[in-house]
């Protein structure tokens, strides 16, 4: 039986310390997604990284405000990002399709239905959808909170079995991840209260953080979908979560039975 998986790769996973795209890690994650497809899974990829791509391509000599920067870097970077994915997935004979979306597309109605139909027909024909927010037009209150929120909405839209949120830490801890007293929480039941453990800090290069991932995970868990938060910087993390979950660090939100 095919299982449908949404994989969200965050900015801090795809971005190096200097703010540029980490192509080596991107390639490793593509290898693992190709492996998932060979195991019979349907995969939808929600990928950050367009702004990082654009920033590394263009050296802006004149000042721009934050909205202009995001529009410029995203428009330039999305081309490079999808081109890199095209080249990497082509090595595995996997066809990809780009889906750029906006928050208003998730309101009930024709746009929602059309978006779901598009992604469904892509999956039926073996095409891997790669989803990102259309940052060239979504710049203020129209924006998703971050790609965590977007991936959660996608998972519910296409009735996924599992949503995997890849970050740069292993999951949710009982304290700061760097503290020796902190313990990684392996599972979260629907009635567990983790409010005391969630940090509100945002990530260095993205708009999200653990609070955002927790909020998304809770909402998707309540919709009956399993959610995993894991470290995308770990070697073969997607393979480990699939074949050796008992020894692969992560936090899993278990849906209501």
């Amino acid at each position: 039986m095919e299982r449908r998986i949404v994989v969200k790769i965050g900015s801090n996973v795809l971005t190096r310390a200097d703010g540029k795209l980490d192509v080596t890690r991107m390639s490793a994650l593509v290898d693992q997604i190709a492996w998932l497809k060979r195991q019979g899974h349907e995969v939808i990829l929600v990928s950050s990284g367009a702004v990082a791509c654009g920033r590394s391509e263009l050296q802006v000599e004149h000042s721009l405000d934050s909205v202009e920067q995001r529009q410029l870097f995203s428009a330039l970077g999305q081309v490079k990002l999808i081109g890199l994915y095209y080249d990497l997935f082509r090595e595995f004979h996997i066809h990809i399709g780009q889906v750029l979306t906006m928050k208003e597309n998730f309101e009930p109605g024709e746009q929602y239905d059309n978006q779901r139909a598009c992604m469904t027909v892509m999956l039926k024909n073996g095409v891997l959808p790669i989803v990102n927010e259309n940052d060239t037009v979504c710049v203020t209150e129209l924006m998703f909170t971050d790609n965590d929120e977007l991936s959660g909405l996608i998972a519910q839209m296409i009735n996924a079995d599992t949503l995997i949120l890849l970050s740069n830490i292993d999951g949710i801890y009982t304290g700061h991840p760097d503290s020796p007293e902190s313990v990684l929480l392996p599972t979260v039941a629907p009635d567990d209260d983790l409010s005391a453990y969630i940090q509100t800090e945002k990530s260095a290069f993205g708009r999200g953080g653990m609070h955002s991932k927790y909020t998304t995970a809770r909402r998707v868990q309540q919709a009956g979908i399993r959610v995993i938060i894991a470290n995308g910087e770990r070697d073969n993390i997607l393979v480990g979560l699939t074949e050796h979950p008992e020894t692969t660090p992560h936090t899993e939100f278990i849906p209501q039975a």
Side-chain angles (χ1 to χ4, degrees), residues 162-166 217 226-230 241 249-253:
T162 302
L163 168 63
I164 300 176
L165 302 173
L166 294 181
R226 183 175 70 138
V227 184
I228 293 172
I229 300 175
L241 290 171
H250 67 281
T251 297
E252 177 176 346
F253 287 73

Side-chain angles (χ1 to χ4, degrees), residues 174-245:
T174 57
H176 193 282
D178 294 334
S179 171
E181 290 83 24
S182 295
V183 176
L184 179 67
L185 298 172
T187 59
V188 180
D191 56 352
D192 288 344
D193 181 10
L194 304 188
S195 57
Y197 304 142
I198 303 302
Q199 305 295 316
T200 58
E201 290 87 354
K202 295 180 182 290
S203 60
F205 295 107
R207 301 204 305 271
M210 191 51 66
H211 183 269
S212 168
K213 289 169 182 56
Y214 174 70
T215 301
T216 292
R218 279 300 200 195
R219 186 178 301 117
V220 176
Q221 178 189 42
Q222 290 167 5
I225 298 170
R226 183 175 70 138
V227 184
I228 293 172
I229 300 175
N231 191 339
E233 297 180 354
R234 284 187 174 272
D235 292 340
N236 287 321
I237 183 63
L238 295 176
V239 177
L241 290 171
T242 304
E243 292 209 318
H244 310 290

Side-chain angles (χ1 to χ4, degrees), residues 6 30 39 51 122 143 153 155 165 180 186 195 208 235 243 246 250:
V6 176
V30 165
Q39 307 311 303
V51 173
M122 289 169 72
M143 295 170 69
L153 291 169
L165 302 173
S195 57
D235 292 340
E243 292 209 318
E246 68 284 350
H250 67 281

Side-chain angles (χ1 to χ4, degrees), residues 139-152:
V139 292
T140 53
E141 70 277 357
L142 298 178
M143 295 170 69
F144 296 100
T145 305
D146 45 52
N147 271 354
D148 297 319
E149 180 186 17
L150 171 56
S151 65

